[in-house]
Amino acid sequence: MVTENRVRIQKLSRRLNIVAAALLYGLPVLTLLYWISFNYLPENLNVWASVPNQPISIQIGLQAFAAALVPLSPVLYGLINLRRWLGYLKDGTIFIEQTAQCLRSLGFALMFLIITNIIFDVLISLILTQDNGSHLGHYIELDIYLSDFFPLFLGGVIVLISRVIHEAVDLQQEQSLTI
C-alpha cells in the first residue's frame, strides 16, 4: 500500500532528479564556457586577484578549465550518487542497502571537496600567474574560509544518515526472519 507521504517522496525525488541531471550535464559545460570566455566576462565575474584586468590566452583558459575539473570531479560524482539515490526513492524503495551506499558515497564526495578546492586554488593561481607580465613570476594564492568547511560537516552528516539507513535495513532483515 502506497501512503500519501510516499507519493510525495516519489514526486519530489522525481523533480530533484531532473535538477541533479541538469547540474550533472550543465556544470562541466558552464565551467568550460566560463574559462573560454573569461576575457569577455564582466569584471565582477573575475574573482581571481591573480589576473586583474588582464586577458588570458586560450591555452591558459584551457589549462584553467582542466584545473577546474579537480573540484568539479567530486561534485559530479556526488551528483551521480544523488541521482541514483533519488531514482531509488522515485521507485519507492527507500530502506535498502543501495540507498545507504548512495548516501555514503555522496557524503564522502562532499567531504573530499575541501581537499580538491585547496588543490584547485594552488593550481589556478599558478596557471593564471604564468603569463602575468610582471617580474614576480608564479605565486600561489590560497584562500580558505570557514564556509569551505560546511561541505565537510554536511558530508559527515550524510555518511551518518547512511549508516542509520544501513542499520535500519539490517533490522528489517532480522525482523523478516523472526517468526
Side-chain angles (χ1 to χ4, degrees), residues 22-32 65 72 75-76 79:
L23 289 170
L24 180 63
Y25 298 111
L27 283 175
V29 173
L30 290 173
T31 303
L32 178 62
F65 170 69
L72 194 56
V75 171
L76 297 178
L79 285 169

Side-chain angles (χ1 to χ4, degrees), residues 82-141:
L82 178 63
R83 290 197 68 221
R84 250 197 291 148
W85 179 65
L86 291 169
Y88 288 123
L89 296 182
K90 182 181 69 166
D91 295 339
T93 51
I94 297 172
F95 293 107
I96 60 172
E97 188 60 40
Q98 290 87 341
T99 60
Q101 182 59 40
C102 289
L103 285 176
R104 184 174 180 267
S105 297
L106 174 61
F108 282 122
L110 282 170
M111 291 191 299
F112 194 61
L113 194 57
I114 191 167
I115 296 167
T116 58
N117 279 337
I118 291 170
I119 293 169
F120 171 72
D121 281 350
V122 170
L123 287 175
I124 200 69
S125 63
L126 289 172
I127 289 168
L128 293 178
T129 58
Q130 69 183 334
D131 193 23
N132 62 8
S134 73
H135 301 310
L136 298 175
H138 290 295
Y139 62 90
I140 295 176
E141 182 178 310

